[in-house]
């Protein structure tokens, strides 16, 4: 996990996508308590940047409750409609009606 987070800033899009997918797998499989905030911060920052495919990053955030405050903010305030849509989708998966 700690090796994947710096790769979110790699110059090559394929490497960044691999890091997002790897972090998403770790979120799905379960992170340790002390890892959850670091991953939530890294993925929401990456989503906010609008780099790559925002929906891929939003999908990686599913199940990470620590990301909810940042996702709410992005859903309301992100300058990119793609980022807002990815944040809303992640929120919809996390907050059932």
């Amino acid at each position: 996990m700690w090796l994947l987070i710096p790769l979110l800033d790699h110059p090559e899009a394929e490497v960044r996508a691999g890091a997002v997918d790897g972090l998403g797998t770790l979120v799905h499989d379960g992170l340790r308590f002390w890892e959850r905030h670091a991953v939530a911060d890294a993925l929401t920052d990456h989503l906010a940047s609008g780099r790559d495919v925002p929906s891929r990053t939003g999908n990686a955030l599913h199940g990470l409750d620590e990301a909810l405050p940042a996702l709410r903010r992005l859903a309301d305030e992100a300058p990119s409609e793609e980022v807002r849509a990815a944040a809303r989708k992640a929120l919809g998966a996390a907050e059932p009606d």
Side-chain angles (χ1 to χ4, degrees):
M1 187 257 347
W2 297 110
L3 298 175
L4 291 174
I5 290 175
L7 295 178
L8 294 173
D9 293 324
H10 196 277
E12 294 187 33
E14 291 176 5
V15 174
R16 292 190 306 269
V20 168
D21 291 345
L23 290 169
T25 298
L26 290 172
V27 169
H28 176 73
D29 291 347
L31 292 165
R32 293 177 187 99
F33 174 75
W34 58 87
E35 296 172 333
R36 295 180 65 81
H37 283 285
V39 172
D41 290 346
L43 285 173
T44 54
D45 287 349
H46 188 69
L47 178 59
S49 76
R51 292 177 87 178
D52 309 316
V53 180
S55 61
R56 178 183 229 144
T57 306
N59 290 339
L61 287 160
H62 288 188
L64 194 55
D65 291 344
E66 288 79 0
L68 293 177
L71 286 171
R72 287 184 193 106
R73 182 179 41 78
L74 287 172
D76 291 338
E77 302 172 6
S80 162
E81 178 56 39
E82 256 190 306
V83 171
R84 287 193 305 270
R88 284 191 298 267
K89 182 179 176 191
L91 282 171
E95 299 175 341
D97 295 329

